[in-house]
Amino acid sequence: MAFNFKKEYKEYYLPKNKPSIVDVPKMNYIAIRGKGNPNEENGDYQNALRLLYGVAYTIKMSYKGDHKIDGFFEYVVPPLEGF
């Protein structure tokens, strides 16, 4: 079964009733940094998101190909997070 970050790390994905400080352990992740109007058709923001999800799903499906990634495990692509 694929690893589901949202289910396994509920404390990071489900909001509490009251604000609190959460210590997030060191993790590997892919991210984009940028700016722009998310509603602008074919704008920088939308193009960056296409690339981000393209990379996430390419890695996710890589086990079906010939090239094997060291330390790879099947996973569910987590939801988009913004900071």
Side-chain angles (χ1 to χ4, degrees), residues 4-5 16 26 29 33 35 47 49 63-64 69 75 77 79:
N4 188 330
F5 291 90
K16 306 287 184 224
K26 185 176 179 178
Y29 58 92
R33 192 175 279 178
K35 57 185 175 186
N47 289 332
L49 285 181
Y63 73 94
K64 293 186 175 191
I69 300 172
Y75 63 94
V77 174

Side-chain angles (χ1 to χ4, degrees), residues 7-20:
K7 287 184 180 178
E8 295 296 325
Y9 296 118
K10 291 178 184 177
E11 63 272 23
Y12 306 134
Y13 288 98
L14 295 176
K16 306 287 184 224
N17 291 334
K18 293 169 49 173
S20 63

Side-chain angles (χ1 to χ4, degrees), residues 37-65:
N37 181 349
N39 299 314
E40 181 183 338
E41 192 171 332
N42 292 317
D44 290 342
Y45 186 90
Q46 285 189 1
N47 289 332
L49 285 181
R50 283 188 195 101
L51 290 171
L52 178 69
Y53 276 94
V55 169
Y57 280 97
T58 297
I59 294 169
K60 174 184 172 49
M61 301 308 288
S62 67
Y63 73 94
K64 293 186 175 191

